[in-house]
Amino acid sequence: MGIFPEIPVAEWITQATEWIQEALKPIFTFIRDDFGDFIEVFAEDWLMGIPIWLFILVVAVLAFFASGKKFGLVAFSVIGLWFVANQGLWEELMNTFTLVIFASLISVIIGVPFGIWMAKSKPVENILTPVLDFMQTMPAFVYLIPAVAFFGIGMVPGVFASVIFATPPTVRFTNLGIRQVSGELIEASDAFGTTGAQKLFKVQLPMAKKTIMAGINQTVMLALSMVVIASMIGAKGLGQSVITALQRAQVGPGFVAGFGIVILAIIIDRFTQNLNTQRGENL
């Protein structure tokens, strides 16, 4: 012990966590049970209910149009998804896909409004910037602790931890995109007597679309990067296969599951990138 008494920060955080658990217990229970059941139904009944060949066909058609009617992304998507199915990892892929979808959607729903708020208010930007810095620099494993404390184990805490980790890019890029809109355009819209809402939805957001989509792309990639970490608290998917292989020192199965994550990451990344361009690019 030094010359100063130790500040009981850990104790304060523990007490705050326990208070939140008790105060918001009905909300956490509802999210864990009802939302958790919905995620399970989405993954196991809806996605797994689609025949593999049909799912691959739909992805191929979407890739064809998303890439500007080019075949690079189509070929990679078909071969990659066929490889995952061939290795007996299709169910794990669907669970991983579910985790990424829900975490990304929630992150975007939260991130875009906060980004707009930051762009509209300098004090809000000053407050949220260090909060976003904290969220991005805190080790991802730390987010598993409150996730388990609030929601137990399973897909829900995995989504919760992924949302915290993946939201900042959408907030930052939305703020940046709106602030970069030309001042002349803002003045012109003011001159035509547009309201604040009209200026936002008809001028600022359309002009900031590419920047915002770049932030969403980063959010999706960060959500996917949490797959393996989230599997440590019971989130099903390819990450769970990687963890199992690690625990048993099984190099082959671990690498195959890792390839599955890489394949999904590339497909999602190319889709979101192509949505942000007027003309698709080759893979």
Side-chain angles (χ1 to χ4, degrees), residues 27-42 98-99 101-103 106 151 155-157 159-160 163:
I27 297 176
F28 293 146
T29 302
F30 170 79
I31 294 175
R32 183 182 65 243
D33 295 341
D34 293 61
F35 183 57
D37 289 343
F38 179 75
I39 293 177
E40 294 287 345
V41 169
F42 181 84
T98 300
L99 175 64
I101 286 177
F102 281 99
I106 296 172
F151 303 107
M155 292 289 281
V156 172
V159 171
F160 176 81
V163 166

Side-chain angles (χ1 to χ4, degrees), residues 52-53 55-67 70-85 90 93 260 262-271 274 283:
I52 296 176
W53 66 268
F55 187 93
I56 295 177
L57 177 62
V58 171
V59 172
V61 172
L62 293 176
F64 179 70
F65 289 103
S67 61
K70 297 179 181 179
F71 289 95
L73 181 58
V74 175
F76 181 86
S77 299
V78 171
I79 295 173
L81 293 176
W82 171 84
F83 171 79
V84 173
W90 189 257
L93 179 72
V262 171
I263 290 168
L264 180 60
I266 293 176
I267 293 174
I268 293 176
D269 179 63
R270 295 303 186 269
F271 264 91
N274 285 320
L283 179 66

